[in-house]
Amino acid sequence: MKGQGTYDRIYTVVRHIPRGKVATYGQVARLAGLPGHARQVGYALHALPERSTVPWHRVLNGRGEISLRAGAGERQRQLLEKEGIVVDDQDRISLPRYGWLPEGDVDGQEDKDGDYFR
DNA sequence: CCACTGACGAGTG
DNA sequence: GCACTCGCCAGTG
């Protein structure tokens, strides 16, 4: 294929996040084939032009929080709520509820011990 | 080349 | 849950 740079691969993954769902930086990095490069994902999104069609606002940190500072964070919050996503007082989003599950919806999620919970 | 920073994450106490 | 450390890597001075 084309000589896609690291950033392009990240943007491609972000574009696949469905409306009304969210993903974490680490998750995006992993799906882009860059495990452990979560920081670079943040850097890549930061470099996006304002008019980009990339839904950057659907990317949150591992705790499900908006990781931006006051100003930009408020903008992201609005975009999220506009999609029907509930944002906490602490700029927090429920990952179990809105987290994007690539490859279709699975009802149970794996616990780190291998058990299932709902 | 070195030091520091930053939309992060996992591990430890 | 909080504070701290280390790993990752691009950009900046």
Side-chain angles (χ1 to χ4, degrees):
Chain A
M1 302 292 247
K2 325 255 158 23
Q4 294 203 327
T6 303
Y7 283 17
D8 292 319
R9 302 177 62 179
I10 291 171
Y11 300 148
T12 298
V13 172
V14 176
R15 267 191 256 264
H16 285 300
I17 303 174
R19 189 173 176 289
K21 290 285 181 180
V22 297
T24 66
Y25 294 101
Q27 187 179 5
V28 171
R30 204 174 126 155
L31 290 171
L34 304 167
H37 294 204
R39 212 164 194 172
Q40 269 43 56
V41 173
Y43 208 92
L45 296 185
H46 184 232
L48 277 173
E50 310 218 354
R51 298 266 205 103
S52 77
T53 58
V54 178
W56 57 270
H57 57 278
R58 293 179 191 148
V59 186
L60 310 170
N61 67 24
R63 303 175 217 167
E65 302 171 317
I66 291 177
S67 192
L68 294 173
R69 304 203 176 184
E74 204 168 297
R75 189 148 107 257
Q76 177 169 16
R77 180 182 189 134
Q78 278 186 24
L79 290 168
L80 289 171
E81 295 183 324
K82 196 168 154 189
E83 298 191 351
I85 295 173
V86 177
V87 183
D88 199 292
D89 262 18
Q90 301 172 52
D91 281 354
R92 245 181 350 192
I93 290 85
S94 168
L95 284 182
R97 184 176 169 103
Y98 300 106
W100 176 40
L101 301 173
E103 318 208 4
D105 320 297
V106 183
D107 216 284
Q109 293 173 36
E110 228 178 321
D111 192 16
K112 54 179 180 180
D113 288 328
D115 292 324
Y116 282 81
F117 66 90
R118 313 175 155 243

